Amino acid sequence: MNKKIKHIAVLIEFLVGSGLAIFFHQVLHYPEAAYTIFGIGILLSLVTYLVRGDIEKTREELLELYHQAHELTFAIIRISDPECQNKAHELLASTMGTISLLQQGYIPMDEVEFYMEGAKQMEHAVNHVKTTDRITTEWDSRGVLHNFYQANLRAIERGVKITRIFVINRENLAEPDFQKVLITQCSGGIDVRVAFHEELPSATDTTSRNTDSSFDFAIYDDRVITDVFSKPGKYFGRKTSTPVEVAKYLHLYELVEHSAYAVTLEGDTVILAGEVIPISV
């Protein structure tokens, strides 16, 4: 119907312009004005036709965008049961949190996806992988960590340098299970270091630094980041290759590295480099 009305309006404008031109030509005997009026009438008809077409097209696009933007809202409104509607709002809030991460350039992942991505990035690494890790003794007992560690060893065989900084409490260093992890990592050719929680910048400066950092992230060739969320939730970790976010992690890594200690293997015990007395296990 709108298209028919638009075509009728163009026809009316054409008839009005033509009528005036005929009137000036036949009745008033003023052919110059008649030709001018006819030409202007044709141009006005064409302009208004094109303008109406653009307005209609814009209107349709705006309506489509409006319905897309409010599709979830309309769907929730159609839910009549109050309990179901509350559940829908919870799901929507969770989805919005995920979308917010995606807008920042992060891809959220569950635990298996996270370590699979880490292994994949290890296979693609060519220069240097820098990692910080929270203390965990499950490197040999959990499949996802074991497979990730095997990807580490394959990367080292290709000539990739891996630096791993374990962020721990000072008393953790002497624990037998953690000593076993350190010995395994050092024996595998990984450049192992330790940093103590209480000595990190965020532990003493809570006003200007991000104290929510998990200190469990990896930087692959300064181009891709994988990071474990500091608090448990729907997702285990996230990945990003956005240059701005990568730069933030590079800066955080430099802070942790500056606070870290090199370690050395003395017999069957790992100690801090420069320690005179080995740590008793």
Side-chain angles (χ1 to χ4, degrees), residues 37-245:
I37 292 172
F38 183 75
I40 293 175
I42 292 294
L43 290 175
L44 287 176
S45 299
L46 179 61
V47 169
T48 55
Y49 175 80
L50 295 175
V51 169
R52 275 195 295 265
D54 288 340
I55 291 174
E56 183 63 26
K57 182 180 179 181
T58 303
R59 176 179 174 277
E60 292 176 356
E61 291 176 351
L62 289 175
L63 283 175
E64 184 178 356
L65 290 174
Y66 177 82
H67 285 294
Q68 288 178 356
H70 295 81
E71 184 176 359
L72 289 175
T73 304
F74 294 152
I76 292 175
I77 291 174
R78 289 194 292 269
I79 299 175
S80 57
D81 184 79
E83 188 175 356
C84 292
Q85 197 169 81
N86 289 335
K87 184 63 177 180
H89 281 294
E90 292 177 7
L91 292 173
L92 181 59
S94 176
T95 301
M96 291 304 297
T98 302
I99 291 175
S100 177
L101 279 173
L102 295 171
Q103 288 174 335
Q104 298 173 48
Y106 289 99
I107 299 176
M109 298 174 287
D110 61 30
E111 187 173 10
V112 175
E113 291 174 329
F114 181 85
Y115 285 112
M116 282 180 61
E117 182 63 31
K120 174 184 173 182
Q121 294 300 329
M122 278 291 182
E123 297 294 347
H124 292 161
V126 294
N127 295 316
H128 192 184
V129 177
K130 309 167 187 175
T131 76
T132 65
D133 287 80
R134 293 177 297 184
I135 181 170
T136 177
T137 58
E138 300 177 328
W139 287 86
D140 291 329
S141 59
R142 296 190 60 194
V144 291
L145 275 170
H146 176 75
N147 293 331
F148 174 64
Y149 180 66
Q150 293 301 313
N152 284 221
L153 298 181
R154 289 192 295 271
I156 290 173
E157 290 177 357
R158 298 195 315 271
V160 177
K161 180 181 179 181
I162 299 178
T163 303
R164 175 160 288 121
I165 303 174
F166 286 97
V167 180
I168 61 174
N169 296 322
R170 188 173 288 272
E171 60 271 16
N172 295 139
L173 187 59
E175 295 177 359
D177 289 340
F178 186 62
Q179 279 285 314
K180 180 181 177 182
V181 171
L182 290 178
I183 293 171
T184 301
Q185 299 271 332
C186 290
S187 301
I190 296 173
D191 178 15
V192 177
R193 307 177 191 182
V194 296
F196 300 120
H197 275 293
E198 59 271 20
E199 296 182 3
L200 293 179
S202 60
T204 56
D205 183 358
T206 59
T207 58
S208 61
R209 301 190 190 278
N210 178 17
T211 57
D212 289 332
S213 174
S214 67
F215 294 114
D216 194 350
F217 60 87
I219 307 172
Y220 301 90
D221 288 336
D222 294 350
R223 59 179 178 80
V224 178
I225 305 294
T226 57
D227 180 26
V228 176
F229 286 118
S230 58
K231 299 177 182 178
K234 181 179 179 180
Y235 296 104
F236 179 79
R238 58 187 181 176
K239 164 197 167 184
T240 184
S241 57
T242 305
V244 173
E245 300 303 318

Side-chain angles (χ1 to χ4, degrees), residues 11-39:
L11 178 61
I12 292 173
E13 291 169 357
F14 176 76
L15 293 176
V16 170
S18 301
L20 286 173
I22 293 171
F23 176 77
F24 272 83
H25 191 279
Q26 297 294 335
V27 178
L28 300 180
H29 304 289
Y30 194 175
E32 293 82 358
Y35 297 141
T36 302
I37 292 172
F38 183 75

